[in-house]
Amino acid sequence: TNALLLRDSFNFDVSESTRAVNQMMKEFGISADEAYTLIAQGAQKGLNANDDLLDTINEYSVHFRQLGFDADDMFNMLENGSEQGSFSIDKLGDAIKEFGIRVKDGSNTTADAFEALGLDCEDLTKRFSAGGEEASKAFDEVIKALMDCDDKVVQNTVGVGLFGTMWEDLGTEAIGALTNVNGKIDRTADT
């Protein structure tokens, strides 16, 4: 019923929405009703403007979860990033993916980025690798340090070091907004 309602309301393909719901159930441990609620709210908030909401869910849910975010967080982050002018929520999801890969890769680029922000690379790498709440707290610390960086050249260098080309594509404002988990999208609503 939910898949048919999404099809009739937002022109989502039934098999594609079902696949996205299954992905959210698997990654976030939520019910099908909760997943459909989030998709409907996301569509109402304009997250499917480029017809990439379902693909973004399928491709990037795992990366949000690995950084300690839940499904509500993911949708609110995508909405906040899109409100800052991002032309594609796929780019926003890709930014989280890139960040998640880089903060665990042990590369000199990542170490240099953490050090430029005055952060402990070894500690952060362990916390990001642990996932869950530890990764989420580490994410908050890194993003706060990055957004608080007064030297725009350093901020840009670190941003590229941690987000890759997604930093360049999205810009400081969109990345800053993307990292905000606060919002009104809620899987418990009766959407």
Side-chain angles (χ1 to χ4, degrees):
T1 301
N2 286 331
L4 295 175
L5 286 170
L6 280 180
R7 180 199 64 196
D8 294 347
S9 300
F10 303 108
N11 291 323
F12 285 128
D13 180 78
V14 170
S15 63
E16 289 298 312
S17 69
T18 302
R19 191 168 66 112
V21 165
N22 285 335
Q23 182 70 2
M24 286 195 292
M25 291 170 61
K26 175 182 153 198
E27 293 301 333
F28 300 115
I30 64 176
S31 72
D33 285 337
E34 291 170 327
Y36 278 111
T37 293
L38 289 171
I39 293 171
Q41 288 178 34
Q44 288 173 335
K45 300 281 187 178
L47 296 183
N48 197 44
N50 292 327
D51 293 324
D52 57 0
L53 177 58
L54 299 179
D55 289 338
T56 298
I57 292 167
N58 282 317
E59 186 171 353
Y60 301 114
S61 291
V62 64
H63 300 287
F64 281 89
R65 181 192 49 79
Q66 287 173 349
L67 287 172
F69 299 113
D70 65 23
D72 291 11
D73 295 337
M74 179 178 76
F75 274 83
N76 283 310
M77 292 167 79
L78 293 173
E79 181 189 11
N80 291 332
S82 71
E83 286 180 353
Q84 285 300 314
S86 175
F87 58 91
S88 169
I89 64 163
D90 180 76
K91 290 272 188 194
L92 296 168
D94 202 9
I96 292 297
K97 174 185 173 184
E98 282 297 315
F99 181 87
I101 291 168
R102 289 169 184 257
V103 297
K104 293 182 277 187
D105 69 4
S107 71
N108 289 337
T109 303
T110 301
D112 292 345
F114 288 153
E115 289 173 19
L117 294 174
L119 302 171
D120 182 335
C121 179
E122 187 176 322
D123 175 60
L124 287 170
T125 302
K126 286 179 188 175
R127 292 168 62 200
F128 281 120
S129 295
E133 188 176 336
E134 279 304 309
S136 180
K137 286 179 182 177
F139 180 84
D140 290 343
E141 288 174 30
V142 171
I143 298 306
K144 180 177 181 348
L146 179 59
M147 292 300 138
D148 289 348
C149 183
D150 291 331
D151 186 328
K152 297 304 176 193
V153 173
V154 171
Q155 185 184 52
N156 189 58
T157 301
V158 171
V160 171
L162 296 177
F163 287 95
T165 59
M166 293 302 108
W167 176 268
E168 297 167 344
D169 290 351
L170 295 170
T172 308
E173 291 79 21
I175 293 288
L178 167 66
T179 59
N180 178 4
V181 299
N182 297 318
K184 295 181 180 174
I185 296 180
D186 178 4
R187 70 177 173 266
T188 64
D190 187 18
T191 308

